[in-house]
Amino acid sequence: METKKFECGMIDFLPSSFKDYFLENNMPEKIAKLKNNLDNDSLDVVDSSLKKIVHLPDSKYKNVFYYDKEELNKNFADSRSCYYTLMTQERYQYFAEHYKFPFPSYDAEVLIYHHSLFNRSDKFKSYLKNKIFIDGGSFIGDSVLVMLHYDPSKIFSFEISDKNIENFHLTMELNNINPDKFEIVKKGLTNYTHQQKILDLQHEGVSEYFTSDDADFVDFVSLDDFYFTDVLPREREREREREREREREVGFIKADIEGSMVKALQGMKKVIRTFRPVCSFAIYHSPFEFFETKPLLEEYTKDLNYTFEVHNKVSFPDNIFGVTLFAYPTEINE
């Protein structure tokens, strides 16, 4: 029997180990809150993820665990374990022709599924049109390229890595993106405005949890502070006609911010309650994100008639990478 070591396992180098979290919390209650009011497809994603969390090792132990590939796939693969089927040579060629990047970077979740916006109804897309989009954790700008398909008035991209920001600008140039359509913001999204030392790890993920004494200071801001004290006054000064009011509304918030989702959500309550945006939040980086993002967003939107889904469009048998909380005003999908 051919065996090999785990390549990743469950992430445990951010706030906490998934295994520790299970031991320290009332998991029947946590799981019930996560599953509350989800559709069957979402429940399938949650159950598949829970199975991996319980049975697969945390990443710090990946080098001492071995697996047989056939057995791993038999027990943990599902209908979404389709990366190698999706990413054919023809699709790579299509991406290379339509999306220009400083280096090859083809994320199926982004380029195929558009953070779960792809294949939504005309009514759904109309709700987004001519509104502001928030791109939390912009990386090299791949999300901006797909967001532009939905006709935002402007995209504000938050990124704390200088290396990623440099490549972001290159991506915009390579794709001839109108500078009026985007703004890169060198700040991290969190629950209050402050500075913090951060290590710029770029491809390994750049998080407020990666720090050391010799790291550089980075600005962090809540989306509420950023939008209501900076963007909104600036937009109103620039253009005051009533018919452009829609262009100052936030229509979509995407955040993939390396373990900081709960804090970032705490800092965008006013924006969410004011504008009722569509939200796409990555929740796989830590147990806090995975179990606590949805209940908190449900609390913020309890009187706003929201529908919640949990997606993992492209899954892998040995991890829960890509699990995303997707939420939107119910009426736009009816």
Side-chain angles (χ1 to χ4, degrees):
M1 179 186 299
E2 181 183 358
T3 60
K4 59 184 297 187
K5 291 182 180 180
F6 275 90
E7 295 181 0
C8 47
M10 300 299 105
I11 295 177
D12 61 350
F13 47 82
L14 289 169
S16 173
S17 155
F18 277 92
K19 300 292 191 294
D20 291 344
Y21 187 91
F22 265 60
L23 293 173
E24 296 165 359
N25 288 274
N26 182 342
M27 292 316 300
E29 179 181 329
K30 295 286 186 182
I31 292 170
K33 287 183 177 180
L34 178 59
K35 289 186 170 184
N36 182 50
N37 290 326
L38 291 178
D39 61 85
N40 287 335
D41 288 341
S42 297
L43 290 173
D44 188 47
V45 172
V46 171
D47 286 337
S48 176
S49 300
L50 290 173
K51 183 178 180 181
K52 295 173 188 176
I53 291 169
V54 170
H55 293 284
L56 299 180
D58 280 339
S59 62
K60 65 184 174 185
Y61 299 121
K62 65 183 179 181
N63 290 328
V64 297
F65 277 82
Y66 291 80
Y67 68 87
D68 171 74
K69 185 174 182 179
E70 184 176 337
E71 284 297 310
L72 183 75
N73 289 335
K74 176 182 176 181
N75 286 292
F76 298 104
D78 53 42
S79 61
R80 296 174 300 278
S81 304
C82 55
Y83 179 83
Y84 298 103
T85 303
L86 286 172
M87 299 300 283
T88 60
Q89 186 60 43
E90 290 77 14
R91 183 156 262 152
Y92 272 117
Q93 182 65 32
Y94 176 87
F95 288 159
E97 293 173 356
H98 289 79
Y99 300 105
K100 307 297 183 182
F101 298 118
F103 54 85
S105 179
Y106 304 127
D107 187 328
E109 294 270 4
V110 179
L111 299 183
I112 297 176
Y113 296 106
H114 299 182
H115 298 294
S116 297
L117 294 179
F118 188 72
N119 275 347
R120 292 287 169 170
S121 68
D122 290 341
K123 182 178 181 180
F124 198 108
K125 295 175 183 177
S126 177
Y127 184 80
L128 303 172
K129 191 173 183 178
N130 293 328
K131 291 184 179 181
I132 286 173
F133 283 24
I134 303 297
D135 173 23
S138 63
F139 186 42
I140 62 171
D142 51 347
S143 293
V144 170
L145 299 186
V146 301
M147 287 178 178
L148 288 169
H149 292 302
Y150 302 91
D151 298 318
S153 59
K154 191 167 187 175
I155 301 168
F156 289 92
S157 293
F158 292 79
E159 177 58 55
I160 60 177
S161 165
D162 285 328
K163 298 173 186 176
N164 285 342
I165 290 172
E166 180 181 350
N167 284 316
F168 178 99
H169 286 296
L170 284 173
T171 297
M172 298 303 108
E173 292 174 9
L174 289 169
N175 292 274
N176 298 312
I177 304 303
N178 183 344
D180 292 338
K181 297 299 291 184
F182 69 89
E183 182 175 324
I184 186 73
V185 182
K186 190 188 174 184
K187 295 181 179 180
L189 289 175
T190 190
N191 52 357
Y192 73 103
T193 299
H194 68 287
Q195 284 191 326
Q196 185 174 328
K197 286 188 173 184
I198 299 295
L199 284 174
D200 189 347
L201 300 178
Q202 193 182 14
H203 299 304
E204 288 79 4
V206 184
S207 167
E208 64 176 316
Y209 299 102
F210 297 157
T211 186
S212 71
D213 291 339
D214 58 352
D216 296 324
F217 276 106
V218 172
D219 290 326
F220 283 80
V221 66
S222 75
L223 183 59
D224 288 344
D225 285 347
F226 174 81
Y227 189 79
F228 288 106
T229 65
D230 180 16
V231 174
L232 194 57
R234 181 176 7 132
E235 294 292 305
R236 283 177 172 160
E237 182 65 29
R238 187 186 65 163
E239 181 56 76
R240 294 181 177 276
E241 284 89 345
R242 181 181 296 274
E243 59 266 26
R244 296 198 59 175
E245 187 68 33
R246 177 179 172 87
E247 296 185 20
R248 293 190 286 268
E249 297 178 15
V250 176
F252 181 59
I253 304 175
K254 162 259 171 179
D256 187 346
I257 48 179
E258 308 299 322
S260 302
M261 192 61 246
V262 174
K263 288 183 178 180
L265 179 55
Q266 291 168 345
M268 59 180 73
K269 179 179 179 180
K270 185 177 179 181
V271 165
I272 290 171
R273 291 197 55 78
T274 300
F275 300 113
R276 299 179 74 224
V278 176
C279 300
S280 179
F281 297 152
I283 59 171
Y284 62 87
H285 300 94
S286 77
F288 296 105
E289 281 191 339
F290 191 82
F291 290 103
E292 299 182 20
T293 303
K294 177 177 176 282
L296 183 59
L297 185 56
E298 282 183 311
E299 178 186 330
Y300 290 170
T301 61
K302 60 186 176 183
D303 57 342
L304 299 180
N305 190 28
Y306 262 66
T307 293
F308 291 82
E309 299 170 2
V310 177
H311 297 168
N312 192 12
K313 299 294 188 181
V314 184
S315 70
F316 298 90
D318 62 338
N319 60 65
I320 62 168
F321 290 176
V323 177
T324 301
L325 176 66
F326 192 70
Y328 52 86
T330 300
E331 74 275 6
I332 72 173
N333 204 48
E334 293 175 343

